[in-house]
Amino acid sequence: MKDQSNDGGVRRRFYTREHLRRLGVTQSASTLLRLEAAGRWPKRVRIGDHSVAWIKDEVDAHLDALAAEREAVR
């Protein structure tokens, strides 16, 4: 996913559920909650009364670490 949004070149700071789906993260909300509680997924940030998002840099670092872990097993 690009760092630049279509909103006048503003750098994206958060990933919403839709952004996560585009990255291939298709786990349900309840699964992500369990992973967060276990320390196996970055914690969400409340961005509204009924909305959450994840800090982009934390998600990117986590996914990079998972990829590196996979490569180390090979």
Side-chain angles (χ1 to χ4, degrees):
M1 180 163 288
K2 296 179 181 177
D3 284 345
Q4 300 293 323
S5 71
N6 292 333
D7 301 329
V10 176
R11 181 171 160 80
R12 183 180 321 282
R13 298 181 76 185
F14 297 99
Y15 282 143
T16 63
R17 288 283 300 142
E18 181 60 32
H19 294 121
L20 292 179
R21 277 188 218 98
R22 289 182 194 159
L23 289 172
V25 178
T26 59
Q27 283 81 2
S28 68
S30 59
T31 297
L32 289 177
L33 276 171
R34 280 194 300 275
L35 291 172
E36 287 176 29
R40 297 177 50 209
W41 184 256
K43 293 191 183 255
R44 63 190 67 212
V45 175
R46 184 156 300 282
I47 59 173
D49 289 343
H50 303 284
S51 301
V52 296
W54 292 262
I55 297 173
K56 177 190 177 303
D57 292 340
E58 291 178 4
V59 172
D60 290 343
H62 181 76
L63 294 175
D64 289 345
L66 289 175
E69 194 176 293
R70 181 190 69 186
E71 292 301 320
V73 173
R74 289 184 178 184

